[in-house]
Amino acid sequence: MRQGADPGDGGHKPALRAISPGLHFVSTPIGAARDITLRALDVLAGADVLVAEDTRTLRHLMEIHGIPLNGRPVIAYHDHSGEGQMQRLVGLLAEGKSLAYASEAGTPLISDPGFELARAVAAAGLPMTAAPGPCAAICALTLSGLPSDRFLFAGFPPSAQGARRSFLEELAGVQATLILYESPKRLGALLSDMASTLGANRQVVVCRELTKRFEEVLRGTVATLVADVETREIKGEIVVLVDRAAPAEATEESIGAALDAALQSMSVKDAATFVSQTLGVSRKIVYRIALDRSQG
Ligand code: SAM
């Protein structure tokens, strides 16, 4: 984890008492070390066993925050560690041990390991908690100025151009803010492919080095950001967000088709409300068309 140059104990003395048995996911900073939560520190201080995507990173984080290991085991685990390692962890949980799991940075499972483990623990009916905290996707959404009512986190786009274009085409019509992780080396190629798949006028926000010294938010259309990236090198860790496509203009025909489908299972009143909300058209207009159709 690229811990930022911001160490400190935050004045919190982690509770050195045992925590409840079970798996405890722990979110860790994405830059500024002080973004660790007090509860995360308590979990790291109290777990019987520490498990990490990268054991050196976790040891370093614990050192920064003054949490002693006291001889506790630190086990490496990621989603490709294999069935044997996962069964070993599930076995420890079944014995009643408490395990703290941290990925390299941010929230485990979010483009990071942890999913296979969570699935195995859920299937075994063993206890599991999460100490929530930093996540680059959510931090970027907060700063983006793009609508946050509905968003779709799509992780890293494929690195091969053909696969990346198909990936973007699939997302082109989604009525939600899109959130992607990308390497700065591929940002230019991603933006160029966005121009051909999503259109050059789509609003895009690039958040780089969040919570770190060189934090920066770039906003513009796909076209303006393509030009920006051509004139300067973008470095560091980045999140790319894309505004949703403008809704297609509703016509009497498209309203009618949507109503016909809705009227199969809904009353005229409910169908009118549903279609007016889905297509963003006045309910009065939709209701009149719905009445005509239900009577005709
Ligand atoms: N689990 C992490 C989370 O909760 O955000 C994400 C891990 S993923 C392997 C790493 C990617 O997250 C980076 O390549 C970048 O796209 C994004 N990321 C992580 N830290 C970031 C930061 N400080 N600023 C911007 N993006 C970041």
Side-chain angles (χ1 to χ4, degrees):
M1 160 177 21
R2 298 135 297 270
Q3 294 293 334
D6 191 12
D9 63 13
H12 173 72
K13 292 252 178 301
L16 282 173
R17 57 192 141 76
I19 56 168
S20 61
L23 175 64
H24 302 272
F25 285 109
V26 177
S27 297
T28 58
I30 55 169
R34 289 171 75 94
D35 281 344
I36 191 86
T37 69
L38 301 183
R39 183 156 163 241
L41 293 178
D42 286 346
V43 171
L44 294 175
D48 298 322
V49 179
L50 298 150
V51 188
E53 178 185 9
D54 183 321
T55 56
R56 272 184 36 191
T57 304
L58 182 61
R59 281 173 201 270
H60 180 51
L61 179 69
M62 290 173 66
E63 240 171 69
I64 290 175
H65 293 288
I67 299 175
L69 262 182
N70 289 337
R72 292 175 295 161
V74 187
I75 301 176
Y77 173 82
H78 47 76
D79 282 338
H80 308 291
S81 294
E83 189 62 22
Q85 184 72 325
M86 192 163 72
Q87 287 316 324
R88 181 179 166 209
L89 299 180
V90 173
L92 289 168
L93 293 167
E95 283 169 24
K97 295 269 194 292
S98 57
L99 271 61
Y101 180 79
S103 62
E104 173 79 12
T107 300
L109 282 85
I110 306 301
S111 289
D112 258 351
F115 160 64
E116 297 285 355
L117 186 57
R119 182 161 67 173
V121 173
L126 291 163
M128 180 160 53
T129 73
C135 174
I138 299 300
C139 184
L141 178 65
T142 309
L143 294 177
S144 68
L146 294 176
S148 57
D149 57 328
R150 194 191 272 202
F151 57 89
L152 189 149
F153 172 68
F156 285 94
S159 50
Q161 189 177 57
R164 183 168 57 228
R165 285 196 177 157
S166 313
F167 167 92
L168 291 170
E169 271 156 15
E170 230 175 78
L171 295 174
V174 171
Q175 288 299 297
T177 296
L178 306 176
I179 308 178
L180 309 176
Y181 285 165
E182 186 53 292
S183 143
K185 277 187 262 156
R186 282 193 285 271
L187 178 62
L190 174 67
L191 290 168
S192 300
D193 286 343
M194 281 182 173
S196 57
T197 51
L198 311 182
N201 290 327
R202 201 70 93 85
Q203 288 297 314
V204 177
V205 178
V206 175
C207 295
R208 107 180 165 87
E209 294 288 89
L210 292 167
T211 78
K212 303 189 220 179
R213 187 162 168 214
F214 296 108
E215 174 172 309
E216 186 181 16
V217 179
L218 306 167
R219 298 185 174 84
T221 60
V222 170
T224 57
L225 284 174
V226 165
D228 272 3
V229 169
E230 268 169 16
T231 57
R232 60 171 280 211
E233 193 188 356
I234 304 283
K235 287 190 190 154
E237 296 193 284
I238 54 169
V239 182
V240 181
L241 303 99
V242 186
D243 199 1
R244 69 196 68 188
E249 193 106 322
T251 59
E252 180 131 3
E253 207 180 4
S254 65
I255 297 171
L259 277 170
D260 287 346
L263 283 167
Q264 310 251 334
S265 59
M266 293 180 200
S267 66
V268 174
K269 220 171 127 200
D270 288 347
T273 306
F274 174 74
V275 171
S276 97
Q277 284 173 354
T278 319
L279 299 183
V281 181
S282 134
R283 189 179 173 284
K284 210 167 144 195
I285 295 172
V286 179
Y287 190 62
R288 182 187 47 76
I289 300 174
L291 273 182
D292 288 352
R293 289 181 106 78
S294 66
Q295 283 158 11

